Amino acid sequence: MRVVVGISGASGAILGIRLLEELQKNDVETHLIISSIAKDIIEYETDYSVQDVENIASYVHDENDLNAIVNSGSFKFDASVIIPCSMKTLSAITNGYGDNVISRVGDVTLKERRQLIIVPRETPLRTVHLENMTQLSGEGAIILPAMPGFYHKPQTLDDQINFIVGKILDIMDIDNNLFTKWKQ
């Protein structure tokens, strides 16, 4: 399996990092793009360095390298995940404005009818944010907001992070035990 992961400039970079760690554990080839703002956020919000995060990925692409292989529809990948997804990146993907590698990958994923998972991390939301999400959903993207569940009785922040990442892995059909599934 091959997955493209974009970490854009929104709070919650740890979600993208944890996803990369889980994909690595599952021997998934990953292609990582980190925006310049996300690099600052990684340093501010986590104990990881940008280099630590890049070392988790199979391949790393510069956000401004529009010649990067992941920008081509002929480059075969199974899914792309934008995690976290800033409202700027969401808008760019929605409107086909591929001005950097993350938004271009989102565009390519949709046009090639591949699996695009968007993890918006913003609150509260404006109407235009909701409209952009609705439009992307209508084109086949999966909108998975970073909204934690509570039925698994989380005890730590890691439990909440794992819940979101586990949901993403479930969508990609990757077995995981990151959270207790709903039981009756």
Side-chain angles (χ1 to χ4, degrees):
M1 183 174 217
R2 182 183 282 163
V3 175
V4 180
V5 176
I7 300 177
S8 73
S11 182
I14 191 64
L15 295 165
I17 295 167
R18 185 68 48 80
L19 176 63
L20 284 168
E21 290 170 340
E22 292 301 319
L23 292 172
Q24 183 184 56
K25 286 180 192 173
N26 284 279
D27 295 320
V28 174
E29 179 182 307
T30 54
H31 289 258
L32 174 64
I33 309 107
I34 306 173
S35 75
S36 58
I37 300 300
K39 289 177 180 180
D40 293 339
I41 291 170
I42 288 168
E43 299 284 346
Y44 182 78
E45 289 185 348
T46 77
D47 293 329
Y48 291 82
S49 70
V50 171
Q51 188 62 57
D52 292 337
V53 177
E54 290 177 343
N55 288 340
I56 301 168
S58 308
Y59 300 93
V60 178
H61 305 278
D62 182 275
E63 73 168 321
N64 296 309
D65 181 9
L66 292 176
N67 289 317
I69 192 167
V70 294
N71 287 324
S72 173
S74 64
F75 177 71
K76 299 292 184 192
F77 55 89
D78 300 287
S80 64
V81 185
I82 315 300
I83 178 171
C85 185
S86 68
M87 294 302 106
K88 176 184 175 185
T89 300
L90 177 77
S91 177
I93 295 169
T94 303
N95 293 290
Y97 185 65
D99 68 331
N100 66 35
V101 178
I102 295 175
S103 56
R104 174 66 182 152
V105 162
D107 187 54
V108 166
T109 305
L110 290 172
K111 80 178 186 70
E112 297 294 330
R113 303 294 192 255
R114 297 184 190 142
Q115 191 171 62
L116 173 62
I117 302 169
I118 301 286
V119 183
R121 226 309 304 141
E122 181 69 61
T123 192
L125 296 167
R126 289 182 49 215
T127 302
V128 71
H129 300 153
L130 296 167
E131 289 170 347
N132 285 339
M133 287 181 222
T134 299
Q135 185 171 333
L136 285 180
S137 178
E139 292 186 54
I142 295 166
I143 310 299
L144 195 152
M147 300 166 97
F150 294 93
Y151 57 83
H152 64 292
K153 298 182 180 174
Q155 301 298 306
T156 67
L157 181 57
D158 276 348
D159 291 343
Q160 296 292 43
I161 293 166
N162 286 339
F163 177 82
I164 300 299
V165 172
K167 288 289 201 178
I168 295 165
L169 295 175
D170 284 351
I171 289 170
M172 291 191 291
D173 247 358
I174 297 173
D175 288 333
N176 70 89
N177 294 312
L178 291 178
F179 69 99
T180 304
K181 310 303 189 225
W182 178 260
K183 294 183 218 173
Q184 286 210 4

